[in-house]
Amino acid sequence: MELWAESFGDPRHPPVLLVMGAQAQGIQWNDGIVRRLVDGGRRVVRYDHRDTGRSSTVDFTTHPYTVADMASDALAVLDAFGLAQAHLVGASLGGLIAQRLAVTDASRVLTLTSLSSQPLGTDTASAVQRALVGEAPLPGELPPPGPELLAALTTAFPDPQADLGEYLAVRLPLWRVLHGRVLPFDEDEYRAMEQRVYERARDLTAGLNHTLAGAAGSGSTADLASVTAPTLVLHGTEDPMFPPAHAEATAAAVPGARLVMIEGMGHTLPRALDEHLAAEILHHTS
């Protein structure tokens, strides 16, 4: 299996590994965030997960994998660049991958930043199933994605043979919901991003395997009590995928974790927040 990755900045500077979310390519870490981190004295690495972008695709039926395997991919990327340790910044599923590494491979994690994510071991699938049939969350259960997002997700994945126009037609409505209702939505920004994703993908639908990998389990929330890396939990106040209670639960589970809520941010990384997000990461990794 091959993993596409790229590095920016001075190799002598502290390394930051950016880990993207489910079905997302490494280039969806905005160039603006990368540039600001490099300007702040960091070496930055971003990569495509298996089943996304220019990395290898996997026949999940014959070669199933889990979040643990995706965490091993992240270590393989560090190894390829000769990095014994790095500051880990993970978004959404990437946050779970980073959390797992902070538990299982603590010696390789300088700091942990969990962005727009949830606690390790959260059973989101069961909560979603109950929400779809109109059942209330169980006592102590973290809230599922909002109904508008659940509806958008049902039509957000195109035919594998879709042309660019068909692809954008089903993807942009999803980004509008994920972005949230507070910050202005720049359709041209998301259109350009998705066109880049479309042009780089070996298989536009292979990333759906990440949902199956996540369903296989990633560990336990209780495991987070063993995390020793300084931890920052970054989260949007308007996140429709993982409502703020997920961030609060993550911060509560990691000893000494610092929670920073970003006003108006949904479950996306719009360019308008590049400076804010980079500043938080630079402060945490200093």
Side-chain angles (χ1 to χ4, degrees):
M1 187 175 68
E2 296 177 339
L3 295 172
W4 174 91
E6 61 181 351
S7 174
F8 305 84
D10 191 329
R12 297 169 297 180
H13 288 169
V16 174
L17 180 67
L18 301 177
V19 188
M20 199 16 94
Q23 304 154 30
Q25 299 181 11
I27 54 96
Q28 289 174 262
W29 287 103
N30 293 342
D31 293 344
I33 291 178
V34 172
R35 183 175 63 254
R36 286 171 170 81
L37 293 177
V38 169
D39 290 346
R42 305 292 183 272
R43 181 187 186 185
V44 178
V45 177
R46 63 183 179 183
Y47 71 101
D48 289 341
H49 293 297
R50 61 174 75 188
D51 278 330
T52 67
R54 295 178 180 171
S55 290
S56 296
T57 57
V58 178
D59 183 339
F60 198 89
T61 302
T62 58
H63 295 90
Y65 59 86
T66 66
V67 170
D69 296 310
M70 297 180 75
S72 295
D73 291 347
L75 293 181
V77 172
L78 293 181
D79 291 341
F81 286 100
L83 298 173
Q85 296 177 305
H87 299 281
L88 299 189
V89 182
S92 198
L93 175 63
L96 294 179
I97 291 171
Q99 290 174 37
R100 181 176 174 84
L101 289 173
V103 170
T104 62
D105 294 86
S107 65
R108 306 202 65 176
V109 182
L110 294 171
T111 65
L112 166 64
T113 300
S114 182
L115 169 63
S116 301
S117 192
Q118 60 181 161
L120 200 66
T122 304
D123 185 6
T124 302
S126 295
V128 168
Q129 289 301 315
R130 279 187 283 276
L132 289 173
V133 296
E135 294 182 3
L138 297 177
E141 186 175 60
L142 292 173
E148 186 180 10
L149 177 55
L150 291 176
L153 286 168
T154 63
T155 58
F157 302 101
D159 185 280
Q161 305 304 317
D163 63 26
L164 177 59
E166 294 167 334
Y167 176 77
L168 292 173
V170 298
R171 295 297 292 173
L172 289 178
L174 173 63
W175 284 112
R176 187 177 291 277
V177 177
L178 287 170
H179 178 85
R181 297 181 177 183
V182 173
L183 299 178
F185 179 77
D186 185 343
E187 183 170 315
D188 289 341
E189 174 185 347
Y190 288 96
R191 183 182 300 276
M193 180 264 288
E194 278 288 16
Q195 181 169 344
R196 193 176 179 191
V197 165
Y198 179 90
E199 292 169 347
R200 295 180 77 257
R202 292 189 181 188
D203 183 336
L204 287 169
T205 59
L208 290 171
N209 288 335
H210 293 173
T211 303
L212 302 175
S218 58
S220 166
T221 302
D223 294 338
L224 293 175
S226 69
V227 172
T228 56
T231 298
L232 169 65
V233 179
L234 273 177
H235 211 88
T237 59
E238 305 301 318
D239 192 325
M241 178 67 78
F242 302 131
H246 289 257
E248 295 164 1
T250 303
V254 179
R258 184 166 61 94
L259 174 62
V260 175
M261 300 300 298
I262 300 178
E263 191 65 35
M265 188 175 84
H267 196 71
T268 67
L269 306 177
R271 285 192 305 239
L273 293 176
D274 283 354
E275 183 174 0
H276 190 164
L277 292 171
E280 292 288 356
I281 294 168
L282 286 170
H283 176 69
H284 183 60
T285 59
S286 60

